[in-house]
Amino acid sequence: MRLLNKVALVTGAAQGIGKAIAELFLKEGATVIFSDINDEKGQCACDEINITRQQWRESKPAEYIHLDVSSEDDWKNAAEYITQHYHRLDILVNNAGITGFLETSGAHDPEHLDMASWHKVHQVNLDGVALGCKTAIALMKNRPTQKGSNASIVNISSRSGMVGIPLATAYASSKAGVRNHSKSVALYCAQNSYGIRCNSIHPAAIYTPMWDAMLGEGDAREEAIKAISKDIPLGYMGDVMDVAYAALYLASDESKYVTGTELTIDGGILAGSTAAPTQ
Ligand SMILES: NC(=O)c1ccc[n+]([C@@H]2O[C@H](COP(=O)([O-])OP(=O)(O)OC[C@H]3O[C@@H](n4cnc5c(N)ncnc54)[C@H](O)[C@@H]3O)[C@@H](O)[C@H]2O)c1
């Protein structure tokens, strides 16, 4: 019950990392608002957990709302809904994100870059986080505060926000923006004594549907996973719970003195460098 009595909003919660975070937060006692653009999957994810939870808790612990993170109008509607129904927001996880490989048709390398594709990826990954932080600050700054219990914004960036990714420049640039914006939000909220913390998480090689297009099918998929795993110091791809537990720590009061920081969840990928001496 590490999140008891807290109200949390998770974006991109229909599948993958967002779904795992939303489910874990529920298990830890929070009331969770799942949100996504994939309404069918998002509603399903939320219903699954409500059925098991209602066996022991009367009130509805989770619900689903439509929220396209790149739309300012959607964020305004979400804010109105949360204010009306919950009167507070304690946790926001800005998780929704796209690589752009499926969602856009243009080139993503620096030489042939298609600007429409570049903008689409930034609209979701970076504008989405900026709008989420803006909305959350307005909702969170007036919430009743208790000593040692801050509101928390958790932004899901990526290892790609820390290193160059030549064939996914829009993704890498947008995630670098998320990393930096998280620190600006953290300092701004601290300077204004809003009682809001903001941190970023930097996952890498977490096995989710996001990898589907990159891994292929059948035997090819097995081979692709093996090839990726060879470059991961721990030797295997991570799973969604690896990221969910990090989000839980940053969302809970256990991290009450932590703001503006970044947490890599990457099996050790960013711990070393290439061309290192072997002897
Ligand atoms: N899987 C990884 O290895 C990995 C690594 C680094 C960072 N991340 C980041 O973690 C987050 C979650 O990734 P995942 O692997 O679970 O991806 P995923 O593709 O499995 O899930 C992403 C979810 O976001 C939703 N979404 C897409 N566009 C949206 C929009 N405009 N508004 C609201 N929701 C939208 C999708 O419908 C989907 O449910 C992303 O921000 C991603 O960049 C993932």
Side-chain angles (χ1 to χ4, degrees):
M1 293 289 114
R2 290 159 73 186
L3 301 180
L4 197 61
N5 298 326
K6 292 188 189 281
V7 176
L9 170 64
V10 182
T11 69
Q15 64 179 33
I17 292 170
K19 181 175 182 233
I21 291 173
E23 287 177 356
L24 182 62
F25 282 13
L26 269 160
K27 285 194 193 126
E28 293 294 337
T31 297
V32 180
I33 304 158
F34 288 59
S35 68
D36 208 285
I37 46 168
N38 187 335
D39 295 333
E40 203 182 325
K41 256 192 162 175
Q43 189 63 59
C44 259
C46 177
D47 289 348
E48 264 170 39
I49 199 106
N50 264 336
I51 291 161
T52 31
R53 274 292 291 266
Q54 264 173 355
Q55 291 165 355
W56 60 276
R57 192 168 155 178
E58 281 302 300
S59 62
K60 199 166 90 175
E63 72 172 308
Y64 172 79
I65 61 169
H66 177 90
L67 170 55
D68 176 349
V69 295
S70 63
S71 157
E72 188 152 20
D73 283 345
D74 275 13
W75 277 107
K76 281 184 185 149
N77 292 339
E80 263 172 40
Y81 185 83
I82 291 167
T83 307
Q84 216 177 350
H85 290 85
Y86 296 96
H87 316 292
R88 62 187 291 152
L89 182 69
D90 303 289
I91 300 162
L92 168 66
V93 183
N94 281 313
N95 163 78
I98 56 171
T99 56
F101 296 149
L102 289 179
E103 300 83 359
T104 67
S105 55
H108 284 249
D109 70 87
E111 185 181 2
H112 306 99
L113 194 59
D114 169 61
M115 291 317 288
S117 304
W118 169 272
H119 289 310
K120 169 74 184 170
V121 172
H122 281 82
Q123 269 161 13
V124 176
N125 294 0
L126 183 54
D127 298 5
V129 169
L131 286 168
C133 292
K134 179 181 173 183
T135 306
I137 291 169
L139 287 173
M140 290 169 166
K141 69 178 187 182
N142 294 322
R143 90 194 227 295
T145 49
Q146 294 150 293
K147 198 168 179 288
S149 178
N150 295 319
S152 174
I153 300 172
V154 180
N155 292 332
I156 308 296
S157 174
S158 171
R159 57 94 181 247
S160 309
M162 299 169 136
V163 293
I165 309 286
L167 297 183
T169 51
Y171 183 75
S173 158
S174 65
K175 291 297 186 179
V178 170
R179 179 194 192 193
N180 190 274
H181 192 63
S182 303
K183 295 180 198 303
S184 297
V185 170
L187 292 179
Y188 178 85
C189 291
Q191 282 159 7
N192 286 286
S193 304
Y194 282 164
I196 304 170
R197 298 181 293 106
C198 180
N199 296 286
S200 59
I201 293 180
H202 300 260
I206 307 295
Y207 190 66
T208 70
M210 182 176 260
W211 281 85
D212 282 349
M214 297 178 273
L215 292 177
E217 297 292 334
D219 289 350
R221 170 168 290 222
E222 289 309 309
E223 287 309 311
I225 292 173
K226 265 192 218 153
I228 290 166
S229 301
K230 258 198 260 159
D231 291 333
I232 302 172
L234 286 182
Y236 55 89
M237 292 184 78
D239 67 65
V240 290
M241 293 311 294
D242 295 321
V243 184
Y245 280 117
L248 173 61
Y249 167 67
L250 291 174
S252 79
D253 294 333
E254 292 155 22
S255 58
K256 66 181 167 54
Y257 196 51
V258 179
T259 195
T261 198
E262 48 196 45
L263 186 47
T264 52
I265 310 287
D266 67 350
I269 293 171
L270 293 179
S273 61
T274 54
T278 51
Q279 291 280 324

